[in-house]
Each structure stands twice: as C-alpha cells, then as structure tokens.
C-alpha cells in the first residue's frame, strides 16, 4: 500500500513521512533525510514534527547548523512543541536553551522537567511558578529547598484558602520543584491565584470559569446601574485594554481621542490590566478625569479575556468597538464604522481594512504589510472611503485588532469565552458564535485602520494561536474549510484594486517588464539590483502574459508595497490604453525590459517616451527570427541606455548590435570543481516548471530505464507533475527551494554533476547562477559563444531525447558516477515492499 501511496498525489506527503520515520528507526539516515526533506518542501504546509525529524537527521550527519535552523523553523510554527523544545534545550544557544527550559518546565513530563529546571537555575532563574492546568488548578513551583511556597486561592463571596504544595522534589544544588493541585471552587465564576515564596509574588492571575459568557454580566450591570443612568445616552463604547508598549499605546490614544468628538454619544473605556510599566501608568494618569474617558484599573492581571469582559460589563448601552492599543485611527474612522454598522440589521461584527488585518490586510491579504506613517494612513483612508463607499464584504470571522460589535449581537452571544488561552482567537470564537446566531461578520471596505501587531503579547502570539486553534476547530468543524474558500475566492480583491487605482506612488518609479515562468525569476533579481542601485525609488514589475486571445498586464511593487493588485487586459495585438494611463500617472524614472520577446512594441515605445530604457537579452532568438518584431528590436536596441546579455547572447547578435558601447556582458566566473567526495547523483535543474521541461526530463528518465545506463536522477526544484516522474522509479524530485538552500540540496542528494533541463537559451537566471557558483560539471544545450570547461558536456539543442540520454550516460560515466545504485525512490519502494 505504501508503494501505491508514494506515487499518489493526495497521499504522497503522508507516505513520505511514514517512510522517513521507518528509515530513521532502521538507521538509514540518508534515505530518511531524502524523504523528510521533500515533505518539508510540499503542500500542505509542513508541520513542526516534520522539521524536527529533519533536524534530527541533520544532527546525525554532523550538520549542526542546519539542524538548529530546522528547530527554529519548527518553533516558529509552534513555539510550545515539546519535541522541538527538548532538542533546543540540548542544541541551542543560551537564550534558546533558557526559552526552551521555560516551556518544558511548564508543559513537559517529569523527565525533561528536571532538566529544564536545572537549565533555568544555571541561567540565574532561582524562582518560578507556572499554572499547568487551569481546570484543575494544577501548577509547579521552582525554588530553593529552604524556601516554603504559599499558594492562595480566593473567589467572589468566599474566604481565601491556602493550598498546600506537595512534597518537594529535590533536584540537587538546593533546588526543588513543588507541585500544587486544587479543585475549582464550587459555583465560583472566577478564582484569584496568588503564589508566593516569602514576600515576593511569583504568580498572580485571575482565572474565569470555563466557557463563562457575558450576558449575565450585562444583566447584572443593568440592574446595579453603577453609572447612575448616564450610560443610556451612550451610542458607542470604544474599549481599549492596555498592558505594555507605552509608545504604541500613546500613538493609539492620540489618534483616538479626537475621534470621540466626531461621534455623538461616543466614550472611551480603558482597562489597565495591572500594567507594570510606569510609562503606561503615567499616560493613563494624564487622561484621568477627562470627559468621555473612563479608566478601569485591574488590581490583578486578568489577561486579555478578563480585561475585555470586565470592560464589556461596563458597557450596558450602545455598540462596542474592541480596539487594540497598537492601532492608529485616521480621521473619520469611528463615524464610518458606525455608519457601516447601520447598513444592515443582520450585521453583527465589522472589521476595517488594515496593513495587518489577516483577511482584511492591504495591499497583500493574510500578510503583515508595512505599518503606514500618518501621511500614508491619511491617503489610504481617503482612497478606501472614496473607492469603496458603503461596500461590505462578508468574512468567515472578524479580526480582533479593531472589531466593531453591534448591541444586538452582544446581547445575543455575550462576551469572550474564558476557555481559550489569553490573547488570541477569542475574537474568532465570538464571531463564529455570532454567525451561528444569524449575524454577519463583515469587512467595512471603506475604512482603513493601521495596526502594528503583536505588541501586546509579542513572541507569545504563535504559541497562543496554536494552543487555541484545536478548540476553535472542535467547536466549529467547518471553520478551516470556510477560511480556505474565502482565501481562494478572495472577495476583497476588487476592493483592494479600487483603492490602489486611487493611490499614487510618491517616488520615482523604475519598471521591469517581463514574462512569466523563468523570466519572472530573472525580473525579481533585476528589481532587487535596481533597488540597491537607486535607493528611495520604487521598482514595479510589469508582467505580461498571453491567454485566451488577450494580453494581460499585472503591476506589482517588487518590495511588497503598493501596487499589488492592479491588472489590465486588452485583445492580443491591441494597445491597452488603461495600462498606459496608469504608467503615465506615476513618476517614471526608467524601465528595464527583461527579454524583449515579452514586451509588445507599443509598450516599448510608450516606456521609451516616459524615460530611458534598459534591455536584458535572455534569449537572443527574438531578434534573429527575421519577422516584424525582430526588425523592431534591431532598430530599437541602439537607442537603449544599457543592453545586458551573456557571451552567448553577444555571439548571436548582429555585429552592429554586438559592438554598441552600452552593451554589458553579464555572467559569473565559475569556481574550480569541488572534490567528488562520494557524490554519485546527477542533478537536473528546472527553470520555469514548464511542460517542455517535464517532457524532456521524463523522456530522458525513460531512456535511462530502458538501457539501465544513467545514475541516480534528482530533479532540483518542482515540475508541473512531480508524481509522473516519481512513478518512473528512477527519479526523485526535491521540491521547491530558496537560493540559500541550494548547497544543502547538493549535499543531501550527493550531486556530482548538473544537467540544465531546458533547451532554451538562458541568461541571468538565479538558478543558472546557482549552478555556476556550485563549480560542478555542467551538461547543457550549447550555443555559439558559450564557455565550456573540459569536464562540461555540450549538448546539441536539436538532439532527440534518446541522443541526450546516451550523451548524459557517457558523460556521467566519465565523471565516475555509478549507474547501478538505487535512486531514493527505489529505496522508498524497497521499504514499501518490505512493509507490505
């Protein structure tokens, strides 16, 4: 069955993990590493345990740096992953070991608990207390043997009680760990936990009963009427919990206070969650007594849920805006949100657009975009308001950085649940309960709010999300599917585009014109070079693609700024006036055309009228075809400011072009060939993931199978159909990689030579640069003017696949590569047969 799964696209990822695990247990580390490395490069996204297994393989091979890098990746995904933290406790630097020890002291079993406690002690932590299980009030205390911890519990309407810590577990060096456990007090809505050693508090926390909701609190506050009826005139409560980051909090409040005056009946409710920061306390002191501002002081840290719910208990009338203290509001934001909330009575929650708003992020969705300054925020707000006036777009859930809750929704679903760990996904839970009650979660696409992000909980964020996500998915089984559908359909895409149409790029703009596939990778490298050469300028990549009888044009800032969503189309051969209008509206400083074959003549002429033109000739065939386009470029090239091409390109250019003074020869000097060192694989580099590349590689592999004369074949990268190559049995495909991983792949797969798997002439491509920098012998389809080393193989571009395979076999034999060793796929197949 495993053998079948390995070549089944849907089951392939799971089969790789299973095979890697079996190889590892059997001590076959090379095969384990090959399998798990591929899994780490595939979709669905790899999980922490995949990186941990790869790290363990690297460690066994003495690759300590690579092993640590994988552990860091695993902890970036799930900071509390026990397997990753256990290894980090052994392998990491002092700060990493200390962080891992803290996690393991809180969450691991006794074996690693002792090791973690010793690490904390060695690094100066003499005392620590942690709550392990909130439902049973189970905790651990670290301290010196002579210290006696005191655990106090108190709850509403009940006398404080002392919980006796258990018998200390001695760890040596006067170090002990105590365990304490207590049942949840019967009927208590909350419990205050206070752990001390001597006079020093180690842990003070208020815990709310599991799944406690807020309607009862609303009713209680209505009955008490603590504000003497004044709340009845309140239309909007802006609720801001504060704890740390005084600078971000001040920026938030400075932007918010003027907004209160623009909305009749608006008030600000600040909940200070027992902040230890004196700058926070000073800031709140400046606001104390201000009209329209109420400050609630928590005597004990309640966490995010407790602070919000306490604030909600003071919001008996009017809507509520939950606002993070690391946001900045533009003028008119409160009024716009209130107006949007009244458009439809079914609206329960509203979220604005933001630079950092997950689903509502702009310009790139589900991404942390750069925080705009005040001038940029004002422009974004104005553009959103004008472009998307009155537009609401339904979301799977609202986002808590700026979450507007209507009174009807609050009265129906209550506040935040206390069953989730503090800080993240409580907003998701509330919104999903609102949807169950028939309310809509919407994005107000005409409002934009800036959000710094992760300022309240910092590095805790990912751990909190990972801890809470299983609860969300258990309570709302369709949530993941709904999110995936939303992201695939991108219903906010048009709203983002309309905003970008109204925004200007207030800097000189360099355009890089390119096609898709391998040319896009070249264009990315050229954009990076232009940014380095012209700091302060914007570099926008203009991608041209032909499909369905139309020419499509997409504009995207190469440094992830605006624009990211602008696209245009025109019938093939026709001028796209909308695109030209947009280009003229910018401040062009020049353009570089990466391969003239993808740039329509009218576009080249228009760009030439706007500024100087540079040309990178990737494939000189475009100007050798003798057609109208070739004639155009032969006439146009002498007018270019710069012409960049390789020695191959120069060899193919007409003399009057090759002799131009602005012609620049590009290319990389190759280092000497490295020592083989047991390497025995032939790496096949793919450049654009095209059908032609796939056909070539597949045909060569089949010829190798027919005559049994090729060594191990390893495709470095990804193809259109990896499984069709795996099914042949003599090819493994590494999967997608980034540039700095290339040496690691060569080492992992023991690559002794590289075959450039495209018949096209290529120049200035990042993958070609990697191949040249490796120093390995190269097999490639040769063109006039190309420099070849004695150990390289020049292939005829017109040769058949069979002729190419024979030439590769002779070349690899001359390099000393064996032709009988099993490929990684053969090894996986052997393992599968053994298991079966």
């Amino acid at each position: 069955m495993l053998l079948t799964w390995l070549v089944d696209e849907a089951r392939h990822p799971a089969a790789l993990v299973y095979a890697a695990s079996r190889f590892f247990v059997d001590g076959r580390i090379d095969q384990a590493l090959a399998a798990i490395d591929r899994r780490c490069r595939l979709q669905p996204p790899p999980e922490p345990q995949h990186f941990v297994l790869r790290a363990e393989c690297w460690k066994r091979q003495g690759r300590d740096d690579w092993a640590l890098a994988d552990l860091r990746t695993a902890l970036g995904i799930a900071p509390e992953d026990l397997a990753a933290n256990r290894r980090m406790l052994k392998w990491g630097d002092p700060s990493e070991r200390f962080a891992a020890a803290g996690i393991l002291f809180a969450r691991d079993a006794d074996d690693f608990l002792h090791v973690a406690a010793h690490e904390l002690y060695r690094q100066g932590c003499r005392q620590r207390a942690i709550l392990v299980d909130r439902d049973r009030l189970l905790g651990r205390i670290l301290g010196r043997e002579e210290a006696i911890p005191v655990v106090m519990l108190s709850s509403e309407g009940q006398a404080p009680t002392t919980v006796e810590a258990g018998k200390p577990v001695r760890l040596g060096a006067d170090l002990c760990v105590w365990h304490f456990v207590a049942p949840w007090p019967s009927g208590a809505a909350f419990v205050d936990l206070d752990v001390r050693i001597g006079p020093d508090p180690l842990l003070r926390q208020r815990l709310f009963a599991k799944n406690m909701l807020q309607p009862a609190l609303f009713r209680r506050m209505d009955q008490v009427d603590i504000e003497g009826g004044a709340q009845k005139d309140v239309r909007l409560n802006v609720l801001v919990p504060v704890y740390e980051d005084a600078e971000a909090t001040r920026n938030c409040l400075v932007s918010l206070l003027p907004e209160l005056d623009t909305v009749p009946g608006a008030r600000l409710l600040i909940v200070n969650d027992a902040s230890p920061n004196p700058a926070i306390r000073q800031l709140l002191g400046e606001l104390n007594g201000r009209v329209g501002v109420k400050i609630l002081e928590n005597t004990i840290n309640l966490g995010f849920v407790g602070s919000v719910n306490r604030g909600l208990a003071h919001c008996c009338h009017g809507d509520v805006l939950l606002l993070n203290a690391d946001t900045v509001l533009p003028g008119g934001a409160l009024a716009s949100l209130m107006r949007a909330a009244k458009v439809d009575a079914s609206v329960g929650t509203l979220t604005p657009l933001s630079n950092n708003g997950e689903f509502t992020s702009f310009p790139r969705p589900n991404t942390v975009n750069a925080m705009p300054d005040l001038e940029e925020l004002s422009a974004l707000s104005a553009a959103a308001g004008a472009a998307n006036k009155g537009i609401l777009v339904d979301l799977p859930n609202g986002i808590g950085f700026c979450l507007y809750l209507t009174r009807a929704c609050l009265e129906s679903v209550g506040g935040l649940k206390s069953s989730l760990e503090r800080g993240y996904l409580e907003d998701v839970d509330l919104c999903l309960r609102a949807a169950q009650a028939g309310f809509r979660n919407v994005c107000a696409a005409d409002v934009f709010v800036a959000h710094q992000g992760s300022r309240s909980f910092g590095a805790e964020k990912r751990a909190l999300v990972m801890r809470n996500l299983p609860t969300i998915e258990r309570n709302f089984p369709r949530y993941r599917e709904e999110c995936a559908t939303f992201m695939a359909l991108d219903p906010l895409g048009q709203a983002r585009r309309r905003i970008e149409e109204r925004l200007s790029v207030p800097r000189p703009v360099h355009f890089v014109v390119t096609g898709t596939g391998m040319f896009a990778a070249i264009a990315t490298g050229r954009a990076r070079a232009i940014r380095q050469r012209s700091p302060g300028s914007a570099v926008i990549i203009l991608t041209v693609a032909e499909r369905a009888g139309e020419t499509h044009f997409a504009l995207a800032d190469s440094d992830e700024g605006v624009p990211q969503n602008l696209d245009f189309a025109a019938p093939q051969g026709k001028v796209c006036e909308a695109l030209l209008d947009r280009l003229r509206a910018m401040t062009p400083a020049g353009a570089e055309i990466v391969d003239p074959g993808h740039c329509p003549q009218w576009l080249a002429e228009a760009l030439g009228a706007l500024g100087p033109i540079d040309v990178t000739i990737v494939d000189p065939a475009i100007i050798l075809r003798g057609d109208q386009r070739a004639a155009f470029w032969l006439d146009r090239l002498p007018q270019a400011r710069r012409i960049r091409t390789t020695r191959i390109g120069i060899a193919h250019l007409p003399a009057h072009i090759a002799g131009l003074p602005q012609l620049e020869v590009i290319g990389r000097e190759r280092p000497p060939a490295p020592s083989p060192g047991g390497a025995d694989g032939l790496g096949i580099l793919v450049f654009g993931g095209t059908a032609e590349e796939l056909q070539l590689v597949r045909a060569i592999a089949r010829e190798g199978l027919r005559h049994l004369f090729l060594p191990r074949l390893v495709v470095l990268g990804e193809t259109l159909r990896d499984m069709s190559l795996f099914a042949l049995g003599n090819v493994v495909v590494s999967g997608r990689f980034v540039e700095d991983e290339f040496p690691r792949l060569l080492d992992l797969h023991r690559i002794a030579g590289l075959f450039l798997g495209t018949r096209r002439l290529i120049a200035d491509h990042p993958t070609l640069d990697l191949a040249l920098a490796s120093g390995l012998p190269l097999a490639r389809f040769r063109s006039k003017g190309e420099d070849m080393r004695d150990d390289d193989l020049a292939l005829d571009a017109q040769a058949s696949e069979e002729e190419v395979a024979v030439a590769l076999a002779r070349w690899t034999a001359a390099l000393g590569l064996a032709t009988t060793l099993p490929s990684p796929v053969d090894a996986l197949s052997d393992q599968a047969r053994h298991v079966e």
Side-chain angles (χ1 to χ4, degrees):
M1 182 178 293
L2 178 60
L3 181 59
T4 303
W5 284 16
L6 281 168
V7 294
D8 181 280
E9 192 158 357
R11 295 169 172 171
H12 182 70
L16 288 171
V17 176
Y18 180 75
S21 301
R22 291 294 301 265
F23 286 145
F24 186 84
V25 170
D26 292 345
R28 301 165 69 180
I29 304 303
D30 286 353
Q31 288 92 338
L33 191 49
I36 198 61
D37 180 79
R38 174 166 169 79
R39 176 62 191 93
C40 288
R41 302 178 188 283
L42 299 181
Q43 294 294 328
E47 298 178 11
Q49 64 266 27
H50 302 146
F51 289 104
V52 170
L53 178 54
R54 192 170 70 173
E56 193 66 59
C57 292
W58 288 129
K59 189 73 173 178
R60 299 290 179 94
Q61 292 196 337
R63 304 291 188 175
D64 292 356
D65 289 347
W66 296 348
L68 264 177
D70 274 343
L71 284 190
R72 290 168 184 146
T73 300
L75 292 173
I77 299 170
E80 294 180 344
D81 183 82
L82 294 182
N85 276 293
R86 288 168 180 170
R87 288 160 178 80
M88 189 61 82
L89 186 60
K90 300 177 182 178
W91 305 347
D93 62 30
S95 63
E96 290 171 325
R97 293 199 305 271
F98 187 82
I103 295 294
L104 295 173
F105 180 76
R107 300 198 169 271
D108 209 346
D110 287 343
D111 290 345
F112 271 88
L113 168 63
H114 292 187
V115 180
H118 277 293
E119 183 65 34
L120 293 172
Y121 185 80
R122 275 196 298 269
Q123 296 205 37
C125 179
R126 299 295 185 259
Q127 298 176 342
R128 175 170 288 206
I130 191 74
L131 185 68
V132 178
D133 187 336
R134 64 185 304 282
D135 297 326
R136 289 191 298 152
L137 298 177
L138 171 67
R140 294 169 179 166
I141 305 168
L142 173 68
R144 301 293 295 271
E145 185 173 2
E146 67 272 12
I148 305 297
V150 177
V151 182
M152 298 290 296
L153 294 179
S154 58
S155 58
E156 186 178 30
Q158 298 185 19
T161 60
T162 301
V163 177
E164 183 177 351
K167 185 178 179 179
V169 178
R170 292 177 175 83
L171 305 178
D174 292 334
L175 190 65
C176 292
V177 173
W178 290 265
H179 297 266
F180 66 87
V181 63
W184 189 275
S186 177
F190 65 87
V191 171
D192 287 333
L193 173 66
D194 191 340
V195 180
R196 295 173 178 267
I197 293 182
D200 302 322
L202 289 182
L203 178 66
R204 300 184 68 200
Q205 192 171 348
R206 174 167 288 182
L207 306 168
F208 291 91
K210 189 173 182 180
N211 293 334
M212 187 182 72
L213 299 180
Q214 287 308 122
L217 283 178
F218 293 148
R219 291 193 293 273
R220 183 160 67 246
M221 299 313 298
D222 280 335
Q223 292 165 4
V224 175
D225 199 14
I226 60 172
E227 299 189 9
Q231 275 204 55
K232 292 180 180 178
D233 296 327
V234 173
R235 298 176 57 210
L236 176 61
N237 304 271
V238 183
L239 176 55
V240 183
V242 300
Y243 180 71
E244 270 292 0
D245 200 333
E247 180 183 1
T249 302
R250 181 177 291 276
N251 292 339
C252 173
L253 296 178
V254 166
S255 72
L256 174 58
L257 290 170
E259 284 294 287
L260 297 175
D261 298 331
T262 67
V263 177
R267 69 161 184 165
L268 171 59
L269 185 60
I270 301 173
V271 183
N272 178 13
D273 194 16
S275 173
N277 191 330
I280 291 284
R281 296 195 295 269
Q282 177 182 346
L283 174 60
L284 299 186
E286 297 170 7
L287 297 175
N288 202 15
R290 178 165 176 157
V291 175
V293 177
K294 182 177 182 63
I295 300 174
L296 300 178
E297 298 280 355
N298 293 344
T299 57
I300 188 172
N301 182 266
L302 303 183
F304 179 78
V305 173
S307 295
V308 169
N309 283 343
R310 186 183 179 205
L312 289 175
H314 286 256
C315 300
C316 305
H317 300 278
D319 298 340
V320 174
L321 175 64
L322 297 183
L323 189 66
N324 277 17
D326 56 359
T327 56
V328 177
L329 272 65
L334 287 188
S336 296
L337 285 170
M338 280 195 72
R339 185 167 53 248
K342 308 307 177 187
V343 169
D344 184 346
S346 67
V347 169
T349 76
L350 293 95
T351 305
L353 292 172
S354 176
N355 61 293
N356 182 9
E358 300 179 18
F359 295 135
T360 68
S361 286
F362 174 93
R364 295 173 300 140
N366 305 294
T367 303
V368 177
N369 298 281
M371 179 82 170
D373 59 30
L374 292 179
E375 183 177 352
E376 292 168 336
L377 176 59
S378 178
L380 286 165
S381 175
N388 297 320
K389 185 175 181 180
I391 292 178
L392 301 179
V393 177
D394 285 279
L395 302 171
N397 58 270
I399 313 298
F401 75 96
C402 181
L403 185 63
Y404 191 105
L405 305 167
T406 65
R407 171 53 48 181
C409 179
L410 274 171
E411 295 288 359
S412 176
V413 304
L416 303 183
K417 274 189 176 181
S418 59
S419 59
L420 298 172
E421 295 282 354
R422 68 193 184 103
Y424 287 94
L425 298 188
E426 303 95 339
D427 53 339
V428 173
D429 175 84
L430 185 148
C431 293
L432 295 179
R433 286 187 280 119
Q436 283 185 335
F439 291 96
R440 295 171 63 195
N441 299 303
V442 300
C443 172
D446 57 355
V447 186
F448 192 100
V449 171
H451 178 213
Q452 186 70 45
S454 297
R455 302 297 285 266
S456 297
F457 294 94
E460 288 184 88
K461 174 179 178 179
R462 188 64 185 170
L464 294 166
V465 169
M466 294 301 291
R467 212 182 298 169
N468 288 341
L469 189 57
T471 302
I472 292 291
E473 294 182 338
R474 184 168 57 251
N475 294 338
F476 305 96
R478 295 187 57 194
Y479 175 61
R480 185 185 291 266
E481 178 185 347
E482 290 169 355
C483 291
T485 300
F486 181 89
M487 289 187 286
L489 296 178
D490 192 20
L492 276 170
Q494 287 302 312
R496 293 195 303 272
R497 176 196 166 101
R498 286 190 292 265
I499 292 173
E500 289 189 346
E501 288 174 343
R502 291 178 174 268
L503 291 173
S504 62
V505 180
R507 296 180 291 165
V509 176
H510 294 265
F511 297 103
V512 177
V513 183
T514 185
T516 56
M518 71 169 67
F519 300 100
I522 298 171
T524 299
R526 293 303 306 144
R528 182 167 54 245
I530 294 171
R531 290 200 307 271
Q532 294 171 351
R533 188 180 70 215
S534 304
S537 297
V539 182
I540 294 177
I541 296 177
L542 197 172
T543 303
V544 184
E546 306 280 350
R547 56 178 181 267
E550 291 186 325
T551 306
H552 292 258
F553 307 89
L555 293 174
D557 181 86
S558 64
D559 203 25
E560 302 179 344
V562 173
Q564 294 291 326
N565 303 277
L566 292 181
D567 53 75
F568 308 86
Q572 287 183 5
K574 300 295 183 181
V575 175
C576 184
E577 295 292 349
L579 172 66
L580 294 182
D581 290 343
R582 185 64 188 180
L583 300 182
R584 296 184 188 112
M586 298 183 185
T587 310
E592 179 167 329
I593 298 172
V594 175
D595 200 65
H598 294 93
C599 184
Q601 296 177 26
W602 58 265
L603 179 56
E605 291 171 344
L607 290 171
L610 296 174
I613 294 289
D614 298 337
V615 179
T616 293
I617 300 176
V618 177
D619 184 353
I622 180 62
I623 56 178
L624 301 175
R625 294 188 303 201
D627 58 9
Q628 181 181 358
R629 180 175 290 188
F632 170 82
W633 283 108
L634 286 172
D635 180 62
R636 194 78 183 181
L637 282 174
Q639 304 171 38
R641 179 178 57 182
R642 297 186 189 92
I643 304 171
R644 304 173 69 255
T645 192
T646 61
R647 291 185 180 89
I648 305 173
I650 290 177
H652 286 81
L653 294 175
H656 75 285
I657 301 294
L660 290 172
Q662 66 267 44
L663 187 68
E664 174 187 347
V665 180
I666 57 177
R668 176 189 288 270
E669 294 297 325
R670 292 173 67 185
S675 172
D680 53 22
L682 175 61
I684 302 176
L685 284 169
V686 289
F687 292 82
T690 64
E692 291 78 11
E693 289 179 342
L694 176 62
Q695 179 181 341
L696 175 63
V697 175
R698 191 161 48 197
I700 290 172
R702 282 174 174 161
E703 290 298 325
L705 281 175
R706 183 182 305 169
H707 303 290
L708 299 177
F709 55 20
L710 284 173
R712 293 187 304 107
L713 301 179
V714 182
V715 175
L716 301 171
E718 60 180 350
T719 68
L720 283 180
R721 292 186 60 204
D722 289 354
M723 291 303 97
S724 69
L725 296 176
F726 265 93
L728 295 175
N730 65 336
V731 184
V732 66
V733 185
S734 73
R736 181 179 301 181
F737 63 89
V738 295
E739 291 182 20
D740 60 0
E741 292 178 319
F742 189 66
R744 190 184 309 182
L745 281 177
L746 298 181
D747 182 89
L748 166 63
H749 293 288
R750 306 192 311 274
I751 301 301
L754 293 170
F755 167 50
L756 308 188
T758 179
R759 295 180 186 270
R760 297 198 63 166
L761 297 175
I762 51 174
D764 211 22
H765 194 285
T767 302
L768 176 61
D769 287 344
L770 292 174
L772 295 173
S774 73
L776 291 171
L778 298 182
R780 63 187 299 179
F781 293 99
R782 185 175 183 178
S783 295
K784 182 174 63 174
E786 184 172 6
D787 292 333
M788 304 289 285
R789 271 188 346 206
D790 290 342
D791 57 354
D792 289 342
L793 172 64
L795 295 165
D796 184 350
Q798 306 303 317
S800 66
E801 284 86 0
E802 182 178 5
E803 291 169 333
V804 171
V806 170
L808 287 174
R810 290 172 178 167
W811 177 62
T812 54
L815 293 177
L817 304 190
T819 61
T820 57
L821 291 176
S823 77
V825 173
D826 294 329
L828 289 175
S829 301
D830 290 344
Q831 177 74 6
R833 294 187 183 98
H834 175 72
V835 171
E836 292 172 349

